Amino acid sequence: MNFSNVLMILKKSGTIFGLIFGLLISTQALAECELDAGYKLPQGVEFDEYCSFSEGLARIVKNSKYGFVDRKGIIKIKPEYDLLEAFVEGLASIHNHEKSGYIDTKGEVIIPFIYDSTYPFKEGLAVVEIDSKRGVIDKQGQVIIPIIYDDLIGFSEGLSAVEIKGKYGYIDINNKLIIPYDYDSTISFKEGLAAVEKNEKFGFIDSSNNIVIPIEYDSVTWFSGALAVVNHDNKFMIIDRSNRVVKELNHSVVFPFVNGLALVYNNGKDNQGKHGFIDIKGEIKIPLIYDDIPFAYPFADGTAHVQKDGEWFYIDRAGKRLK
């Protein structure tokens, strides 16, 4: 596991732990970037394929090097880096000459390029990596959590999952071990619960390491709005925090709820290869008529990016097409 606040469905594949957050979802689904009316990019400059504006800047590429432009197409940070991430909390993770660091929106190096990998900041903290070990730094570049862990997801609700020698537990911001290394994999806490894996089965614990949902499912999502999606014997179900089945589902793949809607995919006789959305009651809210919908927090901002008949466009929560 290599993500903080992982967008995921947990699943075991053989002996390798995998993240299924794009299963059967095309990797060609791209976010749209739009400049203000009347403006265009400089000659030879293109938007990065996963482009989106963040903090007023969007990623661009020129001659295989990356930089940033504003909404008027003005280059604010020259395309001279090997790889970069969007700005978060005023800083962007940059990779250049096989080392990573952080720059601000003026392009000034704030944290030197001394790491093998760096990840976006969240609440003033970021995960960094040196020699395949992970730790946490603050915005001044001070090490908050020693760079000693085989994996470190990032803090959520005061705890971060960490891995040592193939086993996961949780530490607090003072690097104190709060939950022992009892699990084969874990994700971040959300709504007071975290999904954990043992012996290729999944369930949920609370921050005191009490098992709240039995570790008996083949896959799980995180809880959202006090509901989660679980899979048992290839049957998806919506459950609540007491492990009560709210609704059994007849879809091939079901993703986590985001603002009350969950992306679903069918691969059967009806709606074969089509995507749509269900509500918290398990009822179809937006019909399964779309060829592709990337799972990147759809409807987090009230819209979802969809593809139908080869055309990409946006829809609102009622399924209405937007400009």
Side-chain angles (χ1 to χ4, degrees):
M1 292 179 61
N2 297 320
F3 301 92
S4 59
N5 293 320
V6 186
L7 307 179
M8 66 176 291
I9 290 176
L10 290 170
K11 189 175 178 68
K12 196 67 157 180
S13 176
T15 59
I16 300 175
F17 180 72
L19 303 180
I20 307 178
F21 71 97
L23 182 64
L24 304 173
I25 305 298
S26 171
T27 58
Q28 297 178 356
L30 310 179
E32 292 184 349
C33 272
E34 293 186 2
L35 300 177
D36 289 344
Y39 294 96
K40 62 181 181 179
L41 292 175
Q43 186 174 0
V45 173
E46 297 178 350
F47 282 120
D48 168 58
E49 63 175 350
Y50 300 110
C51 174
S52 61
F53 276 92
S54 176
E55 302 188 8
L57 297 174
R59 293 173 287 187
I60 55 168
V61 59
K62 181 180 181 181
N63 299 327
S64 300
K65 293 290 185 178
Y66 294 84
F68 288 92
V69 296
D70 64 14
R71 287 194 177 272
K72 291 181 171 57
I74 297 173
I75 295 177
K76 292 297 185 179
I77 295 173
K78 294 180 180 179
E80 57 187 14
Y81 298 105
D82 296 332
L83 192 64
L84 46 75
E85 298 292 336
F87 276 94
V88 179
E89 299 185 8
L91 296 177
S93 168
I94 305 292
H95 194 79
N96 213 32
H97 304 304
E98 299 184 356
K99 288 296 180 181
S100 290
Y102 294 87
I103 63 171
D104 63 15
T105 54
K106 296 179 180 179
E108 297 180 0
V109 176
I110 301 302
I111 297 175
F113 291 73
I114 59 175
Y115 302 102
D116 296 332
S117 297
T118 52
Y119 298 86
F121 274 89
K122 179 188 176 184
E123 298 180 1
L125 300 176
V127 176
V128 295
E129 184 175 315
I130 295 178
D131 295 332
S132 298
K133 299 294 183 181
R134 292 187 171 196
V136 174
I137 61 171
D138 63 17
K139 286 189 173 181
Q140 287 70 49
Q142 299 297 314
V143 175
I144 303 301
I145 302 295
I147 306 172
I148 59 175
Y149 295 101
D150 298 329
D151 194 6
L152 189 153
I153 293 176
F155 285 94
S156 177
E157 301 185 4
L159 297 175
S160 173
V162 290
E163 177 200 5
I164 288 183
K165 297 181 179 179
K167 290 294 184 179
Y168 284 82
Y170 289 85
I171 59 171
D172 65 14
I173 195 64
N174 297 312
N175 199 34
K176 179 181 178 181
L177 185 65
I178 302 301
I179 296 175
Y181 298 99
D182 289 340
Y183 303 104
D184 301 326
S185 63
T186 57
I187 63 172
S188 298
F189 273 91
K190 190 169 184 178
E191 298 187 4
L193 299 178
V196 296
E197 178 197 11
K198 258 190 176 183
N199 301 322
E200 302 186 9
K201 294 294 182 180
F202 299 88
F204 291 86
I205 60 171
D206 63 18
S207 58
S208 298
N209 200 26
N210 298 309
I211 296 176
V212 178
I213 305 292
I215 304 174
E216 62 185 14
Y217 292 106
D218 299 320
S219 70
V220 299
T221 71
W222 63 74
F223 270 89
S224 176
L227 298 174
V229 177
V230 299
N231 184 324
H232 182 64
D233 290 338
N234 294 318
K235 184 72 173 180
F236 283 97
M237 299 171 284
I238 301 173
I239 64 168
D240 63 18
R241 293 172 62 94
S242 63
N243 201 30
R244 182 180 67 89
V245 176
V246 176
K247 182 68 177 289
E248 292 188 1
L249 304 171
N250 294 314
H251 305 291
S252 301
V253 178
V254 185
F255 289 87
F257 282 99
V258 179
N259 290 337
L261 294 176
L263 172 63
V264 296
Y265 173 91
N266 271 2
N267 196 29
K269 293 182 179 179
D270 297 327
N271 308 115
Q272 185 169 6
K274 298 295 184 178
H275 306 70
F277 291 89
I278 59 172
D279 61 19
I280 59 175
K281 296 180 180 180
E283 303 297 331
I284 294 176
K285 179 70 173 180
I286 296 176
L288 279 73
I289 60 175
Y290 299 103
D291 302 317
D292 206 349
I293 302 175
F295 180 71
Y297 276 113
F299 294 117
D301 64 352
T303 67
H305 200 205
V306 300
Q307 185 194 51
K308 189 174 185 292
D309 299 328
E311 182 183 7
W312 284 98
F313 53 93
Y314 285 90
I315 59 173
D316 63 16
R317 291 176 58 85
K320 180 182 177 181
R321 178 169 176 161
L322 304 173
K323 291 185 179 180

